[in-house]
Amino acid sequence: LHNKKWEKLTEELEKNQNDLAATLQQKLYEGLKRTLQLPFMENLNTEKPLLNLDSPKQMLEALQQLGIPLKSTSHEELSQLSRQFPVIQALIDYRKVTKVLQSFASALPKYIHPITNRIHPDYWQIGTATGRFSCRNPNLQQIPRDQVFRECFIPSEGNLLIIGDYSQIELRVAAEISHDQRMIDAFQQNQDIHCLTASLLIGKDINKVTKEERQAAKAVNFGLLYAMGARGLQLYAQNSYGVEMTNQQAVDFRQRFFEVYQGIASWQKELGTSRLKEIRTLNGRLRIWEDRPKITELFNTPIQGTAADIMKQAMAMSFPYLNRNNVHLIGTVHDEILLESPQEKAQEISDFLKETMIKAGKKFIQQVPIEVDIAIATNWSEK
DNA sequence: CAGAAGCGCCAC
DNA sequence: AAACGTGGCGCTTCTG
Ligand SMILES: Nc1nc2c(ncn2[C@H]2C[C@H](O)[C@@H](COP(=O)(O)OP(=O)(O)OP(=O)(O)O)O2)c(=O)[nH]1
Ligand SMILES: [Mn+2]
Ligand SMILES: [Mn+2]
């Protein structure tokens, strides 16, 4: 971790948070004064705040008193009303900064080891029901994507980071498992389905889709793959793209998706009516449920699980070579491997990692080509 | 007072 | 009947 950069980032976020807290408080109290004319308003300028901005319960009560119809203060509900009520936008903004400040900016330095000057989290090999790794103390698999955070993660002197990430991995696994011909063809033609979905959703040339729009499309592709409904699609399009969809439009979009990917549709139908209480990944690993699983779990498990199999296969296959070359495997983020390599070997090692990850993929996936995005970097934001 | 539960949100 | 999934973490509030 780049200490100085991190400290500076933390300071900026703190300043930011103070401003946003002031804005939010002002909007809340102003509103409450108007609607309630409560005597406690006289105490406004005392040290003790009347409302805890971090308390969902108090925020909900306060917003309801302002006449805003809410059942909870989750982002999903808030974003619906953010344009109508400035105070809601203020709460969303305050929450965002508070979250990254509390969970990351302030929390992470506590984990820097006094001797190694590094962060040493615990990785759990069987951390999830599907076979993924999990990570904790701290969880380095949930560092914000934003460059200002990622650029603080740097290799030690004389080394470089090598970052390998599978391309569209669970879609490729899904194409293999379902035998969906259209999706297989798409991957054989090296197409990017995340970009395609983004362009269809926002009505924009596929070549003009931004990184953020592509990122947002992932949840649509994986959502539909794992049985997201029209309602869920509609909400998601609104909240992440600002795309207003009627229920009918969402139904139509969903229908078109499955008309294109008929193999996915029939795979879902087959599994959905199967009454299975257990299911395997392509590596043969088994997940068992006590009672009938939800179909969403049943759909997800073989695919997420196979992606995890591939990941672990790649790690196992590369480790001996890495070890011989004094290259350290310093992290993994589900379909991503992070290495720290002596500078002069970095090119050679990155070629090796990429080929090994692809080879591991091919062990389980034969109908669909496997692609890996690889980067040699001086920090984690450069992938 | 400690620990569990609930909420909300970060990542893949 | 309808349903995206897999996690970890910080805070507040509840429970005992
Ligand atoms: N069910 C579900 N799975 C997700 C979601 N986001 C990511 N995943 C899973 C499926 C992805 O293939 C896998 C790896 O995430 P990545 O961010 O690397 O995306 P992906 O590999 O699909 O695309 P990429 O080409 O790497 O940008 O994690 C999600 O919102 N829902
Ligand atoms: Mn990926
Ligand atoms: Mn990834």
Side-chain angles (χ1 to χ4, degrees), chain A residues 194 214-225 228 233 236 240:
Chain A
H194 293 324
R214 179 180 184 274
Q215 178 64 37
K218 290 180 184 179
V220 174
N221 282 330
F222 296 122
L224 293 173
L225 179 59
M228 178 188 263
L233 176 61
Y236 184 79
S240 62

Side-chain angles (χ1 to χ4, degrees), chain A residues 132 165-170 194 214 218-219 222 226 300 335 373:
Chain A
R132 277 184 172 187
D165 186 302
Y166 285 102
S167 158
Q168 309 175 71
I169 185 60
E170 286 185 27
H194 293 324
R214 179 180 184 274
K218 290 180 184 179
F222 296 122
Y226 303 127
N300 176 264
D335 74 333
D373 296 317

Side-chain angles (χ1 to χ4, degrees), chain A residues 14-164:
Chain A
E14 274 167 357
K15 220 182 298 161
N16 215 331
Q17 190 201 31
N18 274 335
D19 294 348
L20 292 172
T23 307
L24 174 56
Q25 257 184 61
Q26 192 240 330
K27 286 199 188 323
L28 279 171
Y29 290 151
E30 196 179 85
L32 288 172
K33 187 149 52 177
R34 238 183 301 119
T35 50
L36 299 176
Q37 295 163 348
L38 291 183
F40 73 64
M41 298 318 298
E42 290 156 20
N43 304 330
L44 243 187
N45 293 323
T46 59
E47 272 86 68
K48 187 163 142 272
L50 299 162
L51 283 172
N52 184 342
L53 305 180
D54 295 332
S55 164
K57 190 161 170 274
Q58 293 183 29
M59 284 301 104
L60 181 60
E61 274 167 23
L63 292 171
Q64 284 173 337
Q65 283 179 338
L66 294 180
I68 301 175
L70 283 167
K71 289 206 298 288
S72 84
T73 66
S74 66
H75 185 261
E76 199 168 275
E77 257 195 82
L78 292 181
S79 61
Q80 310 287 319
L81 299 162
S82 61
R83 244 178 279 160
Q84 217 176 325
F85 303 99
V87 63
I88 298 262
Q89 191 56 52
L91 176 58
I92 291 174
D93 294 343
Y94 170 78
R95 283 244 182 104
K96 172 102 188 154
V97 171
T98 300
K99 166 78 180 174
V100 295
L101 190 58
Q102 288 175 348
S103 297
F104 303 105
S106 314
L108 237 55
K110 302 190 184 105
Y111 288 99
I112 296 176
H113 193 282
I115 295 170
T116 65
N117 202 29
R118 297 168 72 101
I119 296 170
H120 304 270
D122 303 324
Y123 285 91
W124 293 82
Q125 287 236 38
I126 318 174
T128 78
T130 56
R132 277 184 172 187
F133 277 86
S134 68
C135 177
R136 48 168 102 135
N137 304 322
N139 181 4
L140 292 191
Q141 296 180 323
Q142 57 171 173
I143 300 300
R145 278 192 293 272
D146 192 314
Q147 179 177 349
V148 297
F149 293 93
R150 293 285 173 108
E151 71 184 2
C152 296
F153 292 79
I154 55 174
S156 59
E157 189 69 34
N159 290 283
L160 287 168
L161 292 181
I162 299 171
I163 309 162

Side-chain angles (χ1 to χ4, degrees), chain A residues 165 333 335-336 383:
Chain A
D165 186 302
V333 193
D335 74 333
E336 172 179 349
K383 76 166 206 168

Side-chain angles (χ1 to χ4, degrees), chain A residues 15 121 193 324 337 341:
Chain A
K15 220 182 298 161
I193 295 178
R324 281 200 300 280
I337 290 179
S341 159

Side-chain angles (χ1 to χ4, degrees), chain A residues 94-352:
Chain A
Y94 170 78
R95 283 244 182 104
K96 172 102 188 154
V97 171
T98 300
K99 166 78 180 174
V100 295
L101 190 58
Q102 288 175 348
S103 297
F104 303 105
S106 314
L108 237 55
K110 302 190 184 105
Y111 288 99
I112 296 176
H113 193 282
I115 295 170
T116 65
N117 202 29
R118 297 168 72 101
I119 296 170
H120 304 270
D122 303 324
Y123 285 91
W124 293 82
Q125 287 236 38
I126 318 174
T128 78
T130 56
R132 277 184 172 187
F133 277 86
S134 68
C135 177
R136 48 168 102 135
N137 304 322
N139 181 4
L140 292 191
Q141 296 180 323
Q142 57 171 173
I143 300 300
R145 278 192 293 272
D146 192 314
Q147 179 177 349
V148 297
F149 293 93
R150 293 285 173 108
E151 71 184 2
C152 296
F153 292 79
I154 55 174
S156 59
E157 189 69 34
N159 290 283
L160 287 168
L161 292 181
I162 299 171
I163 309 162
D165 186 302
Y166 285 102
S167 158
Q168 309 175 71
I169 185 60
E170 286 185 27
L171 289 180
R172 294 181 199 267
V173 174
E176 176 86 11
I177 287 181
S178 69
H179 310 292
D180 185 289
Q181 199 54 50
R182 278 291 285 274
M183 202 175 274
I184 294 172
D185 289 345
F187 283 125
Q188 279 171 352
Q189 292 163 33
N190 203 17
Q191 288 176 16
D192 189 315
I193 295 178
H194 293 324
C195 281
L196 178 59
T197 294
S199 81
L200 293 174
L201 210 62
I202 54 187
K204 187 171 174 181
D205 188 311
I206 188 168
N207 298 307
K208 294 190 176 150
V209 170
T210 67
K211 218 172 118 192
E212 291 73 23
E213 288 163 346
R214 179 180 184 274
Q215 178 64 37
K218 290 180 184 179
V220 174
N221 282 330
F222 296 122
L224 293 173
L225 179 59
Y226 303 127
M228 178 188 263
R231 181 73 203 287
L233 176 61
Q234 186 189 357
L235 281 177
Y236 184 79
Q238 171 71 60
N239 295 339
S240 62
Y241 284 116
V243 169
E244 303 245 15
M245 281 176 120
T246 62
N247 184 265
Q248 190 55 46
Q249 285 171 317
V251 169
D252 290 345
F253 187 92
R254 206 172 160 277
Q255 205 157 356
R256 288 207 301 280
F257 181 92
F258 287 111
E259 271 164 22
V260 173
Y261 304 114
Q262 290 177 25
I264 299 285
S266 44
W267 168 78
Q268 285 192 349
K269 188 158 186 201
E270 172 91 20
L271 258 191
T273 53
S274 69
R275 301 162 166 246
L276 285 176
K277 283 177 67 180
E278 54 180 61
I279 198 158
R280 290 182 188 275
T281 68
L282 286 183
N283 195 28
R285 207 159 33 73
L286 184 65
R287 178 177 178 184
I288 301 173
W289 286 266
E290 293 279 333
D291 304 312
R292 292 261 305 274
K294 292 179 275 186
I295 61 161
T296 45
E297 294 173 349
L298 199 58
F299 291 176
N300 176 264
T301 296
I303 294 176
Q304 188 180 112
T306 296
D309 292 341
I310 292 171
M311 189 61 193
K312 289 179 178 179
Q313 185 68 45
M315 291 173 72
M317 285 169 57
S318 45
F319 190 77
Y321 179 85
L322 300 178
N323 210 23
R324 281 200 300 280
N325 282 279
N326 280 324
V327 176
H328 293 127
L329 204 177
I330 57 170
T332 171
V333 193
H334 308 305
D335 74 333
E336 172 179 349
I337 290 179
L338 287 145
L339 304 180
E340 188 179 39
S341 159
Q343 212 156 356
E344 63 277 8
K345 293 185 190 169
Q347 186 57 54
E348 186 192 329
I349 301 289
S350 80
D351 293 344
F352 166 80

